[in-house]
Amino acid sequence: MPMGPASVTESRAPVSPDGRYLLTEAIADEYTSLHRVWDLADPARPRLAFTLPQLWEARYFLPDRKRPVLVAHWWKNGSGTHLFRLWEFTAGRPRHGRDIPITAPDAVTAVSSDGRLFAVGAVGGSRLGLWGVDDVHHPVRRSVIDAPTDLQHRQPWFLDDHTLVTTETHADRRDLRLWDLTDPSDPRKAGVIPGGADGGGAGYLRPQHVLIAESPGETLQLWNVRDRDHPAKGRRLHATSLGYHPVGRGRLATVLRDGTILFWDISDVGHPRRAETLRLDHAVRSMTVTPDGRHIVTGMAVDDRLYSGTEEFRIWATGPDGRWRTPAETSLAGVSDMQVLPGDNSRMAVVGKVDDEKWTFLLGLGSDRIYDDLGLTHPVSVPAAQWRTLFPHLAHRPSCD
């Protein structure tokens, strides 16, 4: 089911938490893009629900909201002003409330895991405005946090509902600072992860209260942050920044550049134990877990040159204990991006080129579902006359029967 010449937006959350809405971006002309919202309630017939006004771009959906809420951004070259607007999707046309403004050359944002707190600051500045967005139509500024915001380093991000992470730069290292936002009107400095931003990225395993900091030398440093005032340093794991994710309680999978997947028991971050190893046939560029936790998606460098641009996505099923089931269930070659949608429909949005234009297609997650979808939408059958020439011993039948 194609959704026209457009690609999924490059966003950390291009799909609403309920899996109903998808963000796409299409080139309008040399200078502008069209940002659209698609309604996927009927996967067989994606419907255009909303096109953002001119100069507005779709950023991401807020997490964990009963009604989907889109964060949109407005900026005009030379204006020096940025606006952030929250669109709430209910029956009918989406509705928005008062804009959140900021004066800056560029801006960064962060949102709490429950979608209730929204932080925004000027790039290169030293202050973050913290907004309460329980009522998306009437956002309220709760406080201002004195923290640097520099795009060259790690942007502000939330561990959970009430813990914000910022970066503090010193002469010889970049630390991660934790902020206690239990009372958003009175932010409080909590603990520090020394050197936590030296390697670039970081992640968080919420059930285990484990922060993972990427370190120089292709290692991951584990931290127990159950007590956010006193983070406890654990051990390092041999891994890369290409991908890591939880697979079952207390277990972590990490990716090496040669296609090796290492599985770790990290129930004790001070003494992680390597459980097993899985070797794939190509280098792995990326690894993500699907929203339901039952599948793993890997981006594979099919010619083994990690940054060549040639990629293949594979979908792997997992067992109840988090172990991968081999071989892969589905393989997608010649695809530039794919997003697995939340919900029970087991669908994915796949971006591929048609006549040198990027198109987004909605497909079933499993190979059987893909075959059924193609049979319904693009049935290609051998005509009866040609069939008699090719298969004279068989009765004619459509290819998708």
Side-chain angles (χ1 to χ4, degrees):
M1 279 62 71
M3 284 176 276
S7 59
V8 177
T9 56
E10 295 183 2
S11 162
R12 63 175 178 262
V15 186
S16 62
D18 60 1
R20 176 162 181 174
Y21 296 101
L22 175 72
L23 307 178
T24 66
E25 179 180 3
I27 303 300
D29 54 46
E30 187 177 356
Y31 301 103
T32 60
S33 297
L34 289 176
H35 288 251
R36 296 187 173 110
V37 182
W38 293 83
D39 187 340
L40 311 181
D42 181 356
R45 295 177 179 82
R47 181 180 64 85
L48 180 60
F50 180 53
T51 300
L52 270 71
Q54 190 176 13
L55 298 182
W56 284 90
E57 62 173 349
R59 279 293 183 93
Y60 48 82
F61 283 100
L62 293 184
D64 198 27
R65 300 296 293 247
K66 290 182 179 179
R67 294 174 177 171
V69 176
L70 169 66
V71 177
H73 169 243
W74 179 93
W75 176 77
K76 186 176 181 180
N77 190 24
S79 70
T81 298
H82 296 259
L83 300 177
F84 291 90
R85 178 177 292 181
L86 306 180
W87 298 83
E88 185 174 52
F89 284 75
T90 57
R93 187 175 177 83
R95 297 173 55 243
H96 70 84
R98 182 166 54 89
D99 296 337
I100 298 174
I102 181 171
T103 301
D106 201 355
V108 293
T109 66
V111 61
S112 62
S113 57
D114 62 0
R116 304 291 175 181
L117 293 176
F118 182 78
V120 59
V123 172
S126 59
R127 292 162 68 84
L128 275 170
L130 187 65
W131 295 75
V133 292
D134 287 278
D135 182 351
V136 300
H137 305 294
H138 299 91
V140 177
R141 191 162 80 166
R142 303 296 302 276
S143 58
V144 175
I145 298 172
D146 292 323
T149 54
D150 188 346
L151 274 181
Q152 294 181 354
H153 304 137
R154 177 77 182 185
Q155 295 186 38
W157 57 291
F158 277 84
L159 282 188
D160 50 32
D161 299 350
H162 299 107
T163 308
L164 180 69
V165 184
T166 61
T167 301
E168 296 180 351
T169 303
H170 303 280
D172 58 345
R173 69 171 195 261
R174 297 196 301 272
D175 299 341
L176 294 178
R177 163 68 68 181
L178 308 185
W179 293 82
D180 183 346
L181 305 182
T182 303
D183 180 359
S185 299
D186 186 21
R188 183 181 66 82
K189 279 189 176 182
V192 171
I193 307 293
D198 284 345
Y204 183 58
L205 306 183
R206 189 172 180 179
Q208 291 81 35
H209 303 282
V210 173
L211 186 148
I212 302 171
E214 298 171 14
S215 304
E218 298 199 340
T219 58
L220 302 177
Q221 175 65 58
L222 303 181
W223 291 82
N224 186 331
V225 292
R226 186 178 297 273
D227 180 354
R228 56 188 158 195
D229 289 321
H230 303 93
K233 188 176 183 180
R235 296 286 296 275
R236 290 181 185 267
L237 301 182
H238 180 50
T240 72
S241 61
L242 295 174
Y244 47 89
H245 68 87
V247 284
R249 189 168 183 82
R251 287 166 54 88
L252 183 74
T254 63
V255 178
L256 303 186
R257 293 185 182 275
D258 63 358
T260 301
I261 312 294
L262 303 179
F263 295 85
W264 304 84
D265 181 344
I266 59 167
S267 51
D268 179 357
V269 297
H271 302 87
R273 181 178 60 85
R274 198 163 95 181
E276 63 212 52
T277 300
L278 176 65
R279 302 188 186 279
L280 305 182
D281 58 343
H282 293 294
V284 177
R285 278 197 181 131
S286 63
M287 178 173 61
T288 56
V289 62
T290 59
D292 61 7
R294 294 184 297 181
H295 292 84
I296 305 297
V297 179
T298 56
M300 316 292 292
V302 296
D303 56 6
D304 289 330
R305 289 182 297 163
L306 198 61
Y307 303 108
S308 68
T310 304
E311 191 163 18
E312 174 183 315
F313 287 91
R314 296 183 187 175
I315 302 172
W316 312 76
T318 62
D321 60 354
R323 295 177 186 270
W324 289 25
R325 293 174 177 165
T326 55
E329 285 191 346
T330 305
S331 179
L332 299 169
V335 171
S336 62
D337 190 16
M338 67 94 69
Q339 296 280 338
V340 178
L341 309 182
D344 300 325
N345 289 327
S346 297
R347 298 275 172 173
M348 57 183 171
V350 177
V351 179
K353 278 193 173 182
V354 178
D355 296 331
D356 289 330
E357 270 192 313
K358 286 187 176 181
W359 282 63
T360 299
F361 299 85
L362 194 62
L363 299 174
L365 188 59
S367 54
D368 290 342
R369 179 74 72 83
I370 294 174
Y371 178 84
D372 292 340
D373 288 344
L374 292 175
L376 288 172
T377 58
H378 296 83
V380 178
S381 298
V382 178
Q386 187 178 5
W387 182 283
R388 285 193 295 271
T389 302
L390 296 172
F391 313 109
H393 59 296
L394 298 175
H396 180 258
R397 57 178 292 185
S399 62
C400 293
D401 277 2

